[in-house]
Amino acid sequence: NEVGEISLKDIYQIAKTSFPLCMRHLFEKVREDHHLKHGGRMQLGLFLKGVGLKLDDALAFWKAEFAPKVSAERFDKEYAYNIRHNYGREGKRTDYTPYSCQKIISSTPGVGDHHGCPYRHFSEENLRAALVRMGVSSRAVEDVMDKVRNRHYQLACTLTFEAVHGSSCDAGINHPNQYFIDSQRILQS
Ligand code: SF4
């Protein structure tokens, strides 16, 4: 199946196996900090929508993750609108599409932001540590860092994909949701 539906209970497992590093990072941060600034909520929220998380599950996800810091009342008042908006249920009712790599790479995260592309926006030290946590071998890490030094961020992501899946990705990575679909295709075959 192509983009199916993903239920809330499956998202935690799937995040570990099939999210690209940009989304893994946001997902880990919201679970750690129980908050994400606007840029991160947009980048991760639209990705999750593309993955197949339904609106009700998306609302439940953000509400639960924010709960230690944000009361249910405040959540409904300050955050729920934007989530419904992303799903085209508010405002102009546009059905917003998830961000491409190009858009994410050219974003400019500020202090305290966690959105962006880790290959482009992380320090070398943080990127290396994140790759090791993903299970990328030290040899493959060097290949990835080589692409990063040459500013080939999507190629760096493609090499990471190939390293963690043990399978080639000839088309290359150009969209986080494509990374997800290709990953699921390999893991489910
Ligand atoms: Fe995400 Fe694309 Fe960067 Fe990979 S190359 S981490 S999918 S923005």
Side-chain angles (χ1 to χ4, degrees), residues 157-178:
C157 189
T158 306
L159 288 184
T160 304
F161 180 99
E162 293 180 335
V164 298
H165 292 87
S167 173
S168 69
C169 176
D170 298 335
I173 299 298
N174 55 56
H175 199 292
N177 289 87
Q178 173 224 342

Side-chain angles (χ1 to χ4, degrees), residues 23-34:
M23 301 303 172
R24 277 175 69 108
H25 179 61
L26 286 169
F27 197 80
E28 282 171 12
K29 275 295 161 193
V30 70
R31 303 202 63 203
E32 237 172 73
D33 297 348
H34 306 295

Side-chain angles (χ1 to χ4, degrees), residues 20 22 101 104 117-119 153-154 157 173 176:
C22 54
C101 291
I104 294 170
C117 173
Y119 302 97
Y153 307 116
Q154 288 169 234
C157 189
I173 299 298

Side-chain angles (χ1 to χ4, degrees), residues 43-156:
Q43 184 177 309
L44 179 61
L46 288 171
F47 169 79
L48 292 175
K49 176 180 137 179
V51 156
L53 194 67
K54 296 287 131 202
L55 174 60
D56 285 346
D57 279 349
L59 286 166
F61 168 76
W62 291 103
K63 197 170 192 168
E65 295 304 337
F66 276 28
K69 284 190 179 161
V70 176
S71 71
E73 201 177 40
R74 201 179 129 212
F75 182 88
D76 290 340
K77 223 168 101 192
E78 292 178 26
Y79 299 100
Y81 178 91
N82 263 311
I83 296 164
R84 284 200 301 271
H85 192 260
N86 279 348
Y87 278 75
R89 308 292 171 87
E90 300 279 1
K92 282 184 288 172
R93 299 191 174 250
T94 312
D95 206 2
Y96 293 94
T97 49
Y99 296 168
S100 67
C101 291
Q102 212 177 11
K103 182 173 169 103
I104 294 170
I105 289 168
S106 60
S107 68
T108 50
V111 177
D113 278 328
H114 295 292
H115 65 276
C117 173
Y119 302 97
R120 165 77 177 83
H121 298 112
F122 274 19
S123 68
E124 177 170 343
E125 191 187 351
N126 286 349
L127 180 55
R128 282 176 181 277
L131 291 168
V132 169
R133 278 205 308 278
M134 276 181 96
V136 178
S137 72
S138 45
R139 191 179 167 173
V141 168
E142 294 315 315
D143 292 342
V144 170
M145 296 313 298
D146 197 50
K147 296 293 180 208
V148 168
R149 270 189 293 274
N150 289 302
R151 299 172 173 264
H152 295 311
Y153 307 116
Q154 288 169 234
L155 286 178

